[in-house]
Amino acid sequence: QVQLVQSGAEVKKPGASVKVSCKASGYTFTAYYIHWVRQAPGQGLEWMGWINPDSGGTNYAQNFQGRVTMTRDTSITTVYMELSGLRSDDTAVYYCTRGENTGRKAYWGQGILVTVSS
Amino acid sequence: DIVMTQSPDSLAVSLGERATINCKSSQSVLSSSNNKNYLAWYQQKPGQPPRLLIYWASTRESGVPDRFSGSGSGTDFTLTISSLQAEDVAVYYCQQSYRTPETFGQGTKLEI
């Protein structure tokens, strides 16, 4: 069965960087893009971008350009999302999700709470 | 960017009654190449990731009860729950994936 398992919660200071992971299993890793979506406490969903695990190509939302880097390691079917220059308003749950050409996103990771606090 | 606007922001419906949530996009999300609307609906309960209900505006995801249905085309879409059950209490989001950045509506909180 398809699974996306994310790494554990993180606490970071303002200005630091965080790198979180999303391990995929149960399907051909290189066949589907992985998207990242975040949700601040009590707020809605915000799309951050995607990575093509086959080519490594990326597409980032303008809001995160210059601060976000998505990478992958095909040998361990894992995708990473690194966010730099952390601010308090980056405190959020970060989700990875498998995207399809239909727009369908049926599989999500459990989410990672990243807390930015001095 | 395509702006997604949901209405209402919150909704209270009696058990067994119909619930209707609307979603309007600032631009059409209908693809002329395949005549599909790139509009999905998600349900989110506290502490859980979003759950896909509907994609392509009206295609129900496998395992989703048939009381959930989606309709609409172009810029105006609707999610309907035909007979509300207690387990349907959640926040519902629409999302367009026609253009990047993909964008979500602000969410609609559904209560009994």
Side-chain angles (χ1 to χ4, degrees):
Chain A
Q1 72 284 20
V2 175
Q3 281 193 302
L4 298 173
V5 178
Q6 299 184 240
S7 47
E10 301 267 8
V11 179
K12 295 292 182 181
K13 294 193 181 304
S17 297
V18 68
K19 187 173 183 177
V20 297
S21 67
C22 172
K23 180 170 175 59
S25 61
Y27 71 97
T28 301
F29 177 66
T30 52
Y32 298 90
Y33 289 16
I34 293 291
H35 298 242
W36 288 86
V37 174
R38 77 175 186 179
Q39 186 170 39
Q43 301 302 308
L45 300 166
E46 182 179 21
W47 182 82
M48 299 179 68
W50 55 249
I51 180 168
N52 178 347
D54 189 22
S55 66
T58 55
N59 184 334
Y60 303 141
Q62 189 70 28
N63 286 351
F64 301 98
Q65 286 280 356
R67 289 207 301 142
V68 69
T69 305
M70 297 177 190
T71 56
R72 93 292 191 211
D73 184 338
T74 56
S75 69
I76 56 171
T77 66
T78 298
V79 168
Y80 302 92
M81 189 281 296
E82 183 171 21
L83 190 61
S84 62
L86 290 170
R87 309 182 292 251
S88 58
D89 62 359
D90 291 317
T91 294
V93 175
Y94 290 77
Y95 295 103
C96 60
T97 176
R98 193 185 85 168
E100 300 180 14
N101 290 340
T102 59
R104 177 177 178 256
K105 293 177 180 63
Y107 302 99
W108 293 69
Q110 80 275 20
I112 302 166
L113 176 61
V114 175
T115 302
V116 182
S117 173
S118 55
Chain B
D1 298 2
I2 298 178
V3 177
M4 308 299 291
T5 304
Q6 291 181 226
S7 61
D9 289 335
S10 63
L11 181 63
V13 174
S14 300
L15 290 173
E17 296 300 304
R18 179 184 299 260
T20 301
I21 299 170
N22 300 299
C23 176
K24 188 173 184 69
S25 58
S26 61
Q27 303 171 34
S28 175
V29 298
L30 174 63
S31 171
S32 57
S33 63
N34 62 5
N35 205 37
K36 296 293 188 182
N37 290 280
Y38 283 79
L39 188 284
W41 289 97
Y42 295 88
Q43 174 193 67
Q44 189 180 33
K45 297 181 179 179
Q48 297 183 16
R51 174 196 181 194
L52 176 67
L53 299 175
I54 303 284
Y55 62 99
W56 273 345
S58 60
T59 301
R60 192 180 306 112
E61 173 66 8
S62 174
V64 173
D66 62 6
R67 64 180 180 272
F68 291 91
S69 64
S71 63
S73 184
T75 61
D76 292 278
F77 301 91
T78 299
L79 174 70
T80 301
I81 308 172
S82 60
S83 177
L84 192 72
Q85 305 299 302
E87 62 264 31
D88 300 334
V89 169
V91 179
Y92 292 83
Y93 295 93
C94 60
Q95 186 210 12
Q96 69 81 21
S97 55
Y98 182 61
R99 294 260 185 259
T100 58
E102 297 189 11
T103 46
F104 291 88
Q106 79 277 17
T108 295
K109 186 174 184 179
L110 178 58
E111 300 172 309
I112 302 295

